[in-house]
Amino acid sequence: MAQVDPLLPLDAGAVRHAFDDDREADTFALRLKRYGPELQESLRAVYGDQIGALLPELLEVMLHAFHTRPADLKRLDEARLLRPDWLQQPDMVGYVAYADRFAGTLRGVQDHVPYLEGLGIKYLHLMPLLRPRDGENDGGYAVADYRAVRPDLGSMDDLSALAADLRGRGISLVLDLVLNHVAQEHDWAQQARAGDPIYRDYFHLFPDRSGPDQYERTLPEIFPDFAPGNFTWNDEVEGWVWTTFNTYQWDLNWSNPAVLREFVEIILYLANRGVEVFRLDAIAFLWKRPGTDCQNQPEVHHLTRALRACARIVAPAVAFKAEAIVAPAELIHYLGTRDHHGRVSDMAYHNSLMVQLWSSLASRNVRLFEEALRAFPPKPTNTTWGMYVRCHDDIGWAVSDEDAARVGLSGPGHRHFLSDFYSGEFPGSFARGLVFQHNPQTGDRRISGSCASLAGLEAALDAGDPRQTDLAVRRILLLHAVTLGFGGVPLLYMGDELALLNDPDYGDTPEHALDNRWVHRPRMDWVRAQEVMADPSTPHGRVNAGLRHLIAARRGLAHLHASVESRPVDSPDPCVLLLRRDHPQGVLLGVYNFSEHTINFPAWALRDQLGPQALDHLAGSAFTFGHAPVVLDPYRALWLTAAP
């Protein structure tokens, strides 16, 4: 296979000798010409003159992956190039699950794909399933082998078969790609412990405490309860290893270009197995710089852009999702600003939306919600948000002191209130949650718990209170109405469509006992699921039927294409959130009552946005905005467009 001088023009002639088929040669060369300059520019910004050796190696990796890419995936590549906004469509609804909790094995997941299809799912994120270390493994995020599946789930062939089945039904497979660290049992770490200088350079190793102590001055602790500090002594290495998250997770040295080359190979290998979206885990932590918190460094975005360019050349059907739980001013960089605009990740988590949903639900006040959304700069129009009510993780109260101050709140005080409220300690709270990772020094108290239990359904059912049960169901559906009506990709966490409650027995599994996040990671009860779907009159059945209705309504609304942003509109009532979307087909106004009270909402506030008449796409009802107020029932949601 002929090599290409990376400094020569990237035209068809430069790669033709690597192909027997002229059409495939042209396809690869055209993509190389399109994305090659971006690749070189970002690599040079990070690695300088080292790219002279790196680029030929990357080209060999890409050519091999292109030649071995299955024909049906190459057809998908062409389809996605013709419809680059596939991830932004209103019918794009996601589902997030642990494969074993959902159906035992990958073949079990495949058996239940019709369930997902019936729910309207187009995007399935299976939580970490690549082979982790044995025993404690941070929920699967301590990967020991990126090219193997957990043995209890099946094989890599099972994964490919599942991906093919999903693809045939129009559902994209999403997997986690842990970029910041590997398990200490990974082959790279084993070679490093054995003294191989090549692999020692894959990690951050220090012979004494001088280096770690310098970094620790500005580094936060991620898990202060069970993994204090950021460095771990290792006898075999005879030094300190950088371990941001847990002692058994070794941070990778991305300043070594060999690490980038390894991950290009991994991404393209998994893409050829049928993975369509990569969740770039812990991406904010990749680059280490003394005197900083070692998050959100500029090199992170160059590295992402380089990885994306390689994926676009070989497998343009693939998309990246940034798992960056950071402040809005930093988050926008993961979707791209300036030279990176729209050229890094295709999607990022809108963690702030989730936090503000629960904040407004507890306070019955949307002023902080409005202020937080205003803090977000516009995203590139070719990117999208991933929104969720709950996820596999705890809820960290990411409320900035500045946003809180602008609405007359104390940031620390409000965060303290939210922790009290959702742990059930606040008087009158409807929530059943657990405090996770209390840090006495900072006052930080995160919260674990399922959507239904945090929204009050567990407490209401235990009390046998029909009114509180009704209100809890309404709260759950309101939260999902906001995420489904926000634009982007709404992500349903497994079991939320059935209003599954906290798992009281999570601690019976020894490796889960010290991590109460497993309280909201129950196993799917398929008998119970059939019962819930069969009876929409029960509280759980009402949630299921209501969610299915919301998904169907979303699917028919072009206004929810993710190229358009939702922006807050001043509301005359502090309990009611107004979100406006300016789409070429007209304005869509989301109206959300975050209180248990019936509200007489001023008609003029809606008339100013929509004109004298409107249609609600959730209830199918028409409104004429005159002098009489619009009556909003407790936790009512409206998706309004101007009447034709």
Side-chain angles (χ1 to χ4, degrees):
M1 188 176 293
Q3 289 197 357
V4 178
D5 182 345
L7 302 180
L8 292 176
L10 300 173
D11 58 19
V15 294
R16 188 160 305 281
H17 294 298
F19 293 86
D20 297 324
D21 183 284
D22 287 345
R23 183 179 180 277
E24 293 225 322
D26 286 343
T27 295
F28 187 88
L30 284 169
R31 294 180 193 167
L32 192 62
K33 185 174 182 179
R34 164 63 181 85
Y35 294 105
E38 291 184 24
L39 176 61
Q40 293 190 49
E41 181 182 336
S42 278
L43 291 180
R44 191 174 294 281
V46 176
Y47 299 121
D49 292 341
Q50 294 180 82
I51 70 166
L54 175 61
L55 278 167
E57 294 177 1
L58 291 179
L59 184 60
E60 289 293 324
V61 169
M62 290 187 288
L63 282 168
H64 174 74
F66 184 86
H67 282 302
T68 56
R69 188 155 172 80
D72 64 326
L73 289 171
K74 287 186 175 181
R75 286 194 297 273
L76 183 65
D77 292 333
E78 297 302 320
R80 293 273 165 84
L81 289 170
L82 291 172
R83 195 174 190 179
D85 62 345
W86 65 276
L87 200 55
Q88 298 182 298
Q89 296 296 319
D91 67 349
M92 185 60 66
V93 175
Y95 193 87
V96 183
Y98 287 90
D100 57 337
R101 308 302 245 179
F102 182 68
T105 65
L106 292 175
R107 290 185 181 182
V109 173
Q110 193 168 347
D111 290 340
H112 290 288
V113 169
Y115 170 81
L116 299 172
E117 191 176 26
L119 192 57
I121 299 304
K122 293 288 187 180
Y123 165 118
L124 175 61
H125 175 194
L126 293 179
M127 297 294 290
L129 53 75
L130 300 178
R131 188 172 72 79
R133 69 190 299 268
D134 294 333
E136 189 180 356
N137 55 46
D138 190 23
Y141 289 102
V143 178
D145 188 347
Y146 288 93
R147 291 177 172 83
V149 169
R150 271 174 44 187
D152 61 308
L153 296 179
S155 67
M156 193 58 74
D157 287 342
D158 292 330
L159 183 70
S160 295
L162 172 61
D165 191 359
L166 291 167
R167 192 160 59 249
R169 299 170 188 264
I171 302 174
S172 297
L173 177 62
V174 185
L175 286 193
D176 292 88
L177 184 69
V178 184
L179 295 171
N180 179 68
H181 47 263
V182 296
Q184 64 184 8
E185 290 78 10
H186 192 285
D187 181 64
W188 302 339
Q190 291 188 48
Q191 299 275 14
R193 288 201 301 277
D196 189 325
I198 291 176
Y199 289 99
R200 286 179 67 89
D201 198 33
Y202 276 39
F203 302 97
H204 299 275
L205 309 178
F206 302 87
D208 55 46
R209 281 297 307 187
S210 59
D213 287 345
Q214 179 186 12
Y215 280 105
E216 287 281 23
R217 295 189 187 104
T218 52
L219 287 176
E221 290 180 316
I222 305 302
F223 296 132
D225 280 5
F226 49 71
N230 290 273
F231 299 87
T232 301
W233 175 264
N234 185 272
D235 288 334
E236 292 176 89
V237 167
E238 296 183 342
W240 293 89
V241 184
W242 199 314
T243 55
T244 296
F245 290 89
N246 286 287
T247 58
Y248 51 78
Q249 289 166 300
W250 287 22
D251 285 35
L252 290 161
N253 175 19
W254 279 84
S255 67
N256 178 359
V259 171
L260 178 128
R261 186 198 64 237
E262 295 273 16
F263 274 94
V264 170
E265 283 196 56
I266 290 166
I267 288 169
L268 297 180
Y269 170 79
L270 293 171
N272 283 357
R273 285 290 192 168
V275 178
E276 295 182 29
V277 181
F278 289 94
R279 175 187 177 273
L280 306 180
D281 181 72
I283 189 173
F285 296 83
L286 297 192
W287 199 263
K288 318 300 188 186
R289 176 167 280 116
T292 74
D293 61 2
C294 295
Q295 296 182 45
N296 310 310
Q297 298 301 302
E299 289 83 357
V300 169
H301 310 302
H302 279 293
L303 291 168
T304 309
R305 186 180 173 190
L307 292 172
R308 180 182 184 267
C310 292
R312 284 293 195 271
I313 291 166
V314 175
V318 163
F320 285 173
K321 174 174 59 175
E323 190 264 331
I325 310 304
V326 297
E330 295 292 348
L331 180 58
I332 195 63
H333 296 298
Y334 291 87
L335 295 177
T337 58
R338 296 183 176 272
D339 291 345
H340 297 315
H341 185 86
R343 295 177 176 180
V344 279
S345 291
D346 305 275
M347 181 177 172
Y349 285 115
H350 202 310
N351 179 66
S352 181
L353 184 76
M354 181 272 296
V355 170
Q356 294 303 328
L357 285 170
W358 293 103
S359 172
S360 295
L361 205 64
S363 65
R364 285 78 163 179
N365 190 299
V366 302
R367 298 305 186 216
L368 180 59
F369 203 152
E370 295 168 345
E371 197 62 39
L373 290 182
R374 289 191 183 102
F376 275 78
K379 67 173 183 59
T381 57
N382 65 329
T383 64
T384 187
W385 294 115
M387 304 86 53
Y388 51 98
V389 173
R390 285 297 288 116
C391 68
H392 73 289
D393 222 339
D394 56 280
I395 302 178
W397 301 117
V399 174
S400 79
D401 292 346
E402 295 76 15
D403 287 348
R406 280 193 289 270
V407 295
L409 294 173
S410 157
H414 189 64
R415 293 190 290 272
H416 186 90
F417 158 70
L418 292 173
S419 294
D420 280 353
F421 190 93
Y422 285 106
S423 62
E425 298 173 25
F426 192 83
S429 169
F430 48 70
R432 293 273 182 91
L434 300 117
V435 171
F436 177 73
Q437 293 289 315
H438 179 209
N439 187 332
Q441 293 183 334
T442 64
D444 181 37
R445 288 180 300 155
R446 293 174 260 171
I447 294 292
S448 297
S450 75
C451 170
S453 290
L454 293 178
L457 186 58
E458 183 177 342
L461 291 174
D462 284 350
D465 187 329
R467 170 165 167 73
Q468 289 303 318
T469 299
D470 174 68
L471 290 175
V473 169
R474 290 171 179 253
R475 288 186 200 106
I476 294 167
L477 292 176
L478 173 75
L479 296 173
H480 286 292
V482 178
T483 58
L484 284 157
F486 194 78
V489 182
L491 305 170
L492 300 179
Y493 184 60
M494 188 206 85
D496 282 357
E497 78 279 12
L498 304 170
L500 292 189
L501 304 176
N502 286 343
D503 178 6
D505 302 319
Y506 78 92
D508 291 349
T509 303
E511 57 264 37
H512 297 168
L514 297 179
D515 185 347
N516 67 26
R517 290 175 297 180
W518 288 98
V519 78
H520 54 255
R521 300 169 182 172
R523 292 190 180 277
M524 189 69 153
D525 184 337
W526 286 106
V527 173
R528 178 68 175 144
Q530 293 301 320
E531 293 171 352
V532 167
M533 291 187 290
D535 189 356
S537 67
T538 67
H540 299 274
R542 283 179 59 198
V543 169
N544 186 261
L547 260 175
R548 289 174 184 272
H549 175 71
L550 286 167
I551 291 170
R554 171 189 162 89
R555 196 161 46 233
L557 268 174
H559 305 72
L560 290 171
H561 190 282
S563 59
V564 174
E565 296 252 42
S566 288
R567 58 184 182 85
V569 173
D570 289 337
S571 172
D573 192 301
C575 296
V576 178
L577 179 70
L578 300 179
L579 294 179
R580 175 177 171 130
R581 299 178 61 77
D582 290 285
H583 188 270
Q585 293 190 18
V587 172
L588 173 68
L589 188 70
V591 182
Y592 306 102
N593 177 7
F594 272 84
S595 80
E596 65 269 52
H597 307 296
T598 298
I599 290 178
N600 292 318
F601 194 73
W604 61 260
L606 304 179
R607 185 173 59 245
D608 286 355
Q609 303 297 324
L610 297 163
Q613 294 180 314
L615 175 67
D616 174 24
H617 292 266
L618 293 181
S621 53
F623 289 89
T624 298
F625 303 129
H627 297 292
V630 175
V631 178
L632 299 177
D633 293 334
Y635 302 113
R636 177 73 183 276
L638 306 173
W639 291 351
L640 299 175
T641 59

